[in-house]
Amino acid sequence: MKKLGLNEIREMYLKFFEEKGHLRMQSAPLVPINDNSLLLINSGMAPLKPYFTGDEVPPSKRVATCQKCIRTPDIDNVGKTARHGTFFEMLGNFSFGDYFKREAIPWAWQFVTEVLEIPEDRLYASIYEDDDEAFEIWHKEVGISADHIVRLGKEDNFWEHGVGPCGPCSELYYDRGIEHGCGDPNCAVGCECDRFIEFWNLVFTQFDKDEQGNYKPLANPNIDTGMGLERMATIMQDVNTIFEVDTIKHVLDTICGLANVTYQKDEKIDVSIRVITDHIRSVTFMVADGVLPSNEGRGYVLRRLLRRAARHGKLLGIDGLFLHPLAAEVAKVSGDAYPELREKLEYITKVIRIEEEKFQETIDQGLILLEDEMKELKAKGEKELSGQAAFKLYDTFGFPLDLTKDILGESGLTVNEDSFNQEMKKQKERARSARLDKDISAWSDDPFEYLDQSVLTEFVGYNTLQNESPIIAMVKEGQPCEEATAGEEVLVLLKETPFYAESGGQIGDYGQIKTQTGVIQVIDCKKGSLARHIHYGKVTEGTVKVQQMATNSVDRSRRLSIARNHTSTHLLQKALREVLGDHVAQAGSLVDEKRLRFDFNHFEKLTDEELSAVEQKVNEVVFHSPQVTVFETNMDKAKELGAMALFGEKYGEIVRVVKVGDYSTELCGGTHLENASQVGIFKIISEAGVASGIRRIEAVTGNNAYLYTNTIEEKLKSVAAILKANPDNVEQKIEDTLANVKALEKELEALRKKMNSDSIGEFIDQAIEINGVKTIIASVDSMPMNDLRDLGDKLRDKLQSGIVLLGAKSEDKVNFVAMGSKDVVGKGFHAGKLIKEVATIAGGGGGGRPDMAQAGGKKPEALEKALGVAKEVIEKQIIS
């Protein structure tokens, strides 16, 4: 058996199935596209689901992929065993209604025995217990002996996900030898020991399960297979675990070098090495696919992986930041298959480094708090950390719950997850509600699913805004209908349409569908299954019927406004990359007729100078009037031209390229201007952060930019009128006014201090004795904290020996200051404890040193009541 590298196995597999007529498709991003049922892609089949359901037409009936995947249900076991990991690659060959068992089974056998040259006597196949057809193919056609074919039950060898497509499966196993077994003489395929490794699952999707549990044969059965690449590499390299496979071991060895440790010498050290090795692979691939650290969703998965790895680095004694350079090692061994790792390496490294830095700032403080909590638990003989303490670690120090659980688990402790979840309840309910608002079913519905898959829509709106086409179907109140009358809302399918359907951040067109008997006002257009354009409208005149010929007209002015904004987003992205760096990539957009909204990767607020530079670059292109050219080409040619692809978009082999002169080149399916000068003018109106590492720019163009500048000009005139100035000199007038205000404030402050000095005698006269100590407890007219503290200092100095407690209302709050001379502190007085009790009554809190403390409160109406408790508190403190 050949000793093959992981990268070699991947290429051999894809090449083998290419020779069998399969289209080799690139791995989909880890972030699911148009699928809310998953946080992250977790199988080779997941990105292809629309092809199996019929929602989209596959680019070929035969497809082969190597799909990058993330699975985190067993994250707690990653590192603790050598079998668990979060990142893996899944090889798969798929048939969409083309070939079936009689091809899939022999091809699988041919690949493993002839290409990989695995000895036949080491191979076993499992089948579903009732699948006699699969048994016949394996036994009679392939030639496996019956004692190497195992029948297993539904739990092991039948694939289904709720209702919808499902079917039996057949798995291939490799026998590692009796020395890896459990010693049971009956050990066989299906045993939980390490002897028989399952490495390839062939799913025969031949049934459609309905809600009553009935299994109906599919007219066109499908093939869905999955082979774990890392698992196959362990077999071909004759190693025990994925961590010993060549590409993964490269990363592992680098980590050992950083920590100056040796793998497989100390199990505790090995756990940390495996955690870091696995997690840095996951993190690197996730960031490359646009995931950023956050406190929810897939961003939370990334954050917990990264922070778990960082903490295990500390356990290994690695000082400082160390994770971000490891991304380069992942790219080194996987960059040929996944070029995005090398293309985005600078960006990946920066994201990881920034998150490392954030965690580094708080981890030591968090660890001290957790260690204190653990000591307290042990002292009390308890085993469970409170959920409140765990939440504080999460909320204040950025400790994901499972990191806290990891650390506790090492000392035999647990955490009260129920009370932690109570602390998180509101946040989780919001997230849950957001997900329930979306479609999270595995097989989604479509209003036109009753139509044959051959009924499609052709979009002609790139070249014309008006056409004639028959109405081929309508839906009213959720049901198919043949006609709709005035006042009724209706969904319409046209054979050919000029209406752009919402996609790629561009909203759908408005317009009109007109027949001889009626008119439909179109208020939106969206894509349904098979990319059908669904027109949302209301009948405004007469009656409209299916099969009528219709004249379809797009709102021309609105389409042009949208095109201005869409072309401008291309120019904006290019300008941002020139000003900020190549790490900038689109993270979302919205283009409508009023404005454009562009989200992008960046890690800090843009300065005024940067925004000005971006805006200037876009307008310079507009003023030079380059032509906007649109053409189709293959993906390889588009890449040669430097075309930027948008994250989260699916692209076929033939792609649509939009070029704005020689300045911008992007893959895009949207509608655009013919010449950049049609933008008119480009004006940025806001820039803000919308998530960790994501900034958002909003801008206007054309007439909207003109209206915006008019509004700003009117505001300027209004301000000038208030200041009794001209717009030309309003800036100088404001500066002069502010200077006058500052001068008056200084004069007022001097007067206030003089008044305080003059009133010191009055306060001294009001002093009382508490346990033999002179004490001033007084409220003062409205006074800021600095002045209040200054007055307190003067009174204490005047008393020489004594206590001062002052309270003052300041707008909608109250301030307190407490002070005591050194000799009084020696008698037990504590200003910090006094002021805490006083401020609590006024809706605040605070504290400080024994000799001086200050606090604030939110209830100025409670000032006198708060001061009223001071005497009793002081009496308890002072030892007479």
Side-chain angles (χ1 to χ4, degrees):
M1 199 163 67
K2 302 173 185 175
K3 188 174 183 179
L4 299 171
L6 181 139
N7 290 323
E8 289 180 278
I9 298 169
R10 184 196 301 109
E11 180 57 31
M12 292 166 77
Y13 180 92
L14 295 173
K15 185 177 180 182
F16 174 83
F17 280 101
E18 276 189 304
E19 292 171 353
K20 300 294 185 186
H22 290 64
L23 172 67
R24 181 196 295 217
M25 290 180 62
Q26 294 295 317
S27 171
L30 284 167
V31 178
I33 300 170
N34 299 323
D35 183 355
N36 299 312
S37 65
L38 295 173
L39 275 182
L40 295 158
I41 293 297
N42 60 6
S43 70
M45 174 268 192
L48 307 177
K49 193 162 63 180
Y51 304 145
F52 283 107
T53 61
D55 288 341
E56 295 181 18
V57 178
S60 169
K61 287 192 172 184
R62 298 181 179 187
V63 164
T65 67
C66 184
Q67 176 62 46
K68 47 195 173 183
C69 304
I70 297 279
R71 286 184 189 169
T72 57
D74 294 326
I75 188 172
D76 292 339
N77 289 320
V78 174
K80 296 176 184 176
T81 76
R83 300 173 62 181
H84 290 88
T86 57
F87 176 82
F88 62 97
E89 298 177 61
M90 185 64 76
L91 295 164
N93 57 285
F94 306 90
S95 165
F96 308 107
D98 185 21
Y99 64 83
F100 202 49
K101 295 179 188 178
R102 281 197 148 71
E103 292 80 13
I105 291 174
W107 286 344
W109 186 254
Q110 182 184 357
F111 178 72
V112 297
T113 59
E114 297 180 17
V115 179
L116 298 183
E117 299 180 10
I118 299 176
E120 295 183 11
D121 63 344
R122 290 289 191 100
L123 295 170
Y124 288 77
S126 70
I127 61 172
Y128 178 51
E129 56 191 355
D130 296 335
D131 195 352
D132 293 331
E133 181 186 11
F135 178 85
E136 291 295 316
I137 297 171
W138 279 119
H139 183 49
K140 294 185 177 179
E141 298 182 24
V142 172
I144 298 183
S145 62
D147 62 353
H148 274 233
I149 304 173
V150 181
R151 292 179 184 264
L152 297 175
K154 197 169 186 179
E155 185 177 342
D156 295 301
N157 277 65
F158 196 95
W159 183 91
E160 61 184 349
H161 186 103
V163 298
C166 58
C169 55
S170 181
E171 297 175 318
L172 275 170
Y173 290 79
Y174 175 76
D175 181 2
R176 300 177 68 208
I178 194 169
E179 65 274 16
H180 294 280
C182 56
D184 188 329
N186 297 315
C187 180
V189 169
C191 182
E192 292 296 321
C193 72
D194 292 334
R195 177 175 176 179
F196 297 94
I197 299 179
E198 181 266 310
F199 63 86
W200 201 349
N201 188 13
L202 315 177
V203 180
F204 312 126
T205 312
Q206 62 190 88
F207 299 113
D208 184 12
K209 182 182 178 183
D210 63 24
E211 293 181 355
Q212 286 71 46
N214 301 310
Y215 294 89
K216 299 177 183 177
L218 288 171
N220 297 301
N222 304 310
I223 290 292
D224 162 22
T225 82
M227 178 199 289
L229 177 57
E230 291 86 352
R231 187 172 294 187
M232 177 50 71
T234 64
I235 294 171
M236 301 308 299
Q237 296 175 27
D238 193 24
V239 294
N240 291 319
T241 75
I242 60 172
F243 292 96
E244 298 167 65
V245 169
D246 58 338
T247 54
I248 304 174
K249 189 173 185 297
H250 171 83
V251 179
L252 183 146
D253 287 342
T254 305
I255 293 163
C256 289
L258 279 173
N260 195 27
V261 296
T262 303
Y263 187 56
Q264 294 183 325
K265 292 287 186 181
D266 182 321
E267 180 56 24
K268 189 173 182 180
I269 289 174
D270 289 352
V271 169
S272 294
I273 294 170
R274 288 192 290 262
V275 167
I276 300 168
T277 302
D278 171 78
H279 289 6
I280 192 60
R281 295 178 73 228
S282 294
V283 164
T284 301
F285 275 91
M286 289 171 74
V287 175
D289 280 350
V291 182
L292 288 166
S294 71
N295 281 337
E296 59 184 15
R298 59 184 67 97
Y300 180 69
V301 174
L302 173 62
R303 172 162 283 167
R304 62 194 274 216
L305 291 173
L306 201 153
R307 294 189 169 188
R308 192 168 187 252
R311 189 242 166 188
H312 277 276
K314 291 182 76 69
L315 292 180
L316 290 177
I318 302 175
D319 293 326
L321 308 180
F322 73 98
L323 284 174
H324 63 280
L326 291 176
E329 303 306 318
V330 178
K332 186 181 295 182
V333 292
S334 300
D336 287 343
Y338 303 102
E340 64 270 19
L341 297 180
R342 289 176 178 155
E343 292 167 3
K344 299 181 179 180
L345 184 57
E346 182 182 351
Y347 166 71
I348 295 167
T349 302
K350 188 170 185 178
V351 170
I352 297 174
R353 178 178 57 76
I354 288 174
E355 183 65 13
E356 272 193 285
E357 288 172 346
K358 286 181 181 178
F359 192 41
Q360 194 74 30
E361 290 172 3
T362 58
I363 187 171
D364 290 333
Q365 300 172 52
L367 286 173
I368 291 169
L369 174 64
L370 184 52
E371 286 167 5
D372 288 344
E373 293 281 356
M374 290 165 65
K375 287 177 184 175
E376 191 172 331
L377 286 177
K378 291 175 182 177
K380 294 178 180 177
E382 297 176 357
K383 293 283 188 179
E384 186 178 73
L385 181 73
S386 72
Q388 289 78 9
F391 184 77
K392 183 176 181 181
L393 284 164
Y394 165 82
D395 194 44
T396 306
F397 301 105
F399 275 46
L401 178 61
D402 51 300
L403 176 57
T404 301
K405 286 166 60 180
D406 269 357
I407 298 170
L408 291 170
E410 290 165 4
S411 298
L413 303 174
T414 60
V415 62
N416 188 326
E417 293 190 51
D418 289 339
S419 60
F420 175 87
N421 290 334
Q422 284 298 316
E423 299 289 340
M424 294 283 288
K425 189 175 180 181
K426 290 182 180 180
Q427 181 178 339
K428 287 187 176 292
E429 283 180 350
R430 285 195 297 270
R432 191 180 299 113
S433 297
R435 284 180 68 81
L436 288 175
D437 286 342
K438 301 175 182 177
D439 170 32
I440 59 172
S441 62
W443 314 100
S444 59
D445 295 328
D446 182 276
F448 292 98
E449 66 178 353
Y450 66 91
L451 296 173
D452 187 84
Q453 291 192 3
S454 62
V455 180
L456 302 174
T457 305
E458 181 183 353
F459 176 60
V460 297
Y462 289 134
N463 303 314
T464 181
L465 296 183
Q466 181 172 307
N467 81 323
E468 292 190 354
S469 171
I471 296 173
I472 55 177
M474 292 195 301
V475 168
K476 180 174 62 178
E477 296 181 352
Q479 298 296 322
C481 66
E482 291 299 314
E483 68 176 33
T485 58
E488 293 183 327
E489 295 180 354
V490 65
L491 306 180
V492 181
L493 279 187
L494 300 170
K495 186 173 181 58
E496 296 178 345
T497 180
F499 289 85
Y500 183 85
E502 180 179 338
S503 62
Q506 179 177 327
I507 63 171
D509 282 330
Y510 289 1
Q512 193 178 80
I513 297 172
K514 185 175 183 180
T515 71
Q516 288 185 335
T517 58
V519 176
I520 298 173
Q521 200 66 35
V522 177
I523 58 169
D524 204 354
C525 187
K526 297 181 182 293
K527 284 186 180 178
S529 298
L530 304 169
R532 292 174 178 138
H533 286 224
I534 301 174
H535 306 79
Y536 293 70
K538 185 174 183 179
V539 181
T540 55
E541 296 178 28
T543 300
V544 178
K545 299 179 181 179
V546 172
Q547 298 304 327
Q548 278 189 312
M549 186 62 71
T551 299
N552 313 297
S553 306
V554 173
D555 183 325
R556 185 178 300 272
S557 175
R558 184 173 179 273
R559 167 74 82 86
L560 182 59
S561 293
I562 294 170
R564 286 191 186 97
N565 289 333
H566 201 155
T567 301
S568 294
T569 63
H570 288 214
L571 300 178
L572 173 59
Q573 178 165 219
K574 178 66 173 179
L576 284 166
R577 288 169 67 85
E578 287 185 344
V579 173
L580 303 178
D582 288 341
H583 66 277
V584 169
Q586 179 173 327
S589 70
L590 176 65
V591 176
D592 62 23
E593 72 275 25
K594 296 178 180 178
R595 66 180 62 191
L596 65 93
R597 189 181 75 202
F598 188 76
D599 297 346
F600 58 98
N601 304 99
H602 193 55
F603 305 98
E604 55 193 351
K605 178 179 174 60
L606 272 68
T607 64
D608 291 341
E609 291 76 16
E610 287 170 336
L611 281 172
S612 179
V614 168
E615 188 175 271
Q616 183 176 345
K617 282 179 178 291
V618 173
N619 281 307
E620 282 177 357
V621 176
V622 171
F623 299 153
H624 280 91
S625 308
Q627 288 294 120
V628 179
T629 56
V630 181
F631 59 91
E632 291 186 344
T633 185
N634 61 52
M635 180 60 85
D636 290 339
K637 181 64 176 176
K639 287 182 178 178
E640 287 177 16
L641 294 170
M644 286 196 64
L646 301 187
F647 175 77
E649 288 293 312
K650 284 185 178 179
Y651 298 103
E653 184 56 30
I654 301 301
V655 293
R656 186 170 182 264
V657 180
V658 176
K659 280 178 62 69
V660 184
D662 294 325
Y663 188 70
S664 167
T665 305
E666 286 191 25
L667 304 185
C668 183
T671 62
H672 288 272
L673 302 171
E674 294 179 356
N675 188 287
S677 63
Q678 291 173 283
V679 169
I681 190 169
F682 172 86
K683 183 67 185 172
I684 294 174
I685 59 175
S686 70
E687 188 273 342
V690 291
S692 178
I694 302 290
R695 308 297 299 178
R696 171 174 292 172
I697 282 179
E698 294 193 5
V700 287
T701 62
N703 189 57
N704 290 314
Y706 169 73
L707 294 174
Y708 175 79
T709 55
N710 267 2
T711 300
I712 297 299
E713 186 177 0
E714 289 302 316
K715 288 181 179 179
L716 178 60
K717 288 178 180 177
S718 177
V719 170
I722 293 170
L723 292 170
K724 297 180 179 179
N726 295 318
D728 291 342
N729 66 359
V730 69
E731 186 176 4
Q732 185 60 51
K733 185 71 173 180
I734 290 173
E735 289 178 358
D736 293 343
T737 301
L738 289 175
N740 289 335
V741 168
K742 286 182 179 179
L744 289 171
E745 285 176 345
K746 284 184 178 181
E747 187 178 335
L748 180 61
E749 184 178 355
L751 286 171
R752 189 183 293 122
K753 286 181 178 180
K754 184 176 185 304
M755 287 173 64
N756 289 342
S757 297
D758 293 343
S759 62
I760 284 176
E762 295 177 16
F763 285 114
I764 296 295
D765 292 340
Q766 294 175 16
I768 61 175
E769 283 200 7
I770 300 177
N771 291 349
V773 176
K774 287 185 178 180
T775 305
I776 297 173
I777 302 173
S779 61
V780 184
D781 290 338
S782 179
M783 186 177 291
M785 181 62 82
N786 288 342
D787 290 348
L788 192 66
R789 193 167 53 242
D790 182 60
L791 177 58
D793 284 334
K794 289 178 179 177
L795 289 172
R796 182 175 58 180
D797 292 345
K798 191 73 174 176
L799 285 175
Q800 294 184 349
S801 173
I803 296 169
V804 177
L805 173 64
L806 302 177
K809 296 177 182 179
S810 179
E811 298 178 352
D812 58 349
K813 61 182 181 178
V814 60
N815 294 323
F816 295 100
V817 166
M819 297 178 179
S821 57
K822 287 183 180 181
D823 62 312
V824 175
V825 170
K827 293 180 180 181
F829 175 71
H830 195 295
K833 293 178 181 179
L834 168 63
I835 208 159
K836 184 176 183 181
E837 294 201 38
V838 170
T840 298
I841 294 172
R849 305 188 308 269
D851 63 326
M852 187 277 187
Q854 64 186 49
K858 298 177 182 178
K859 299 177 180 178
E861 68 276 10
L863 172 59
E864 297 303 329
K865 183 180 179 182
L867 294 175
V869 304
K871 182 178 179 182
E872 184 179 346
V873 175
I874 295 170
E875 284 176 342
K876 291 178 181 178
Q877 290 185 352
I878 300 297
I879 301 171
S880 57

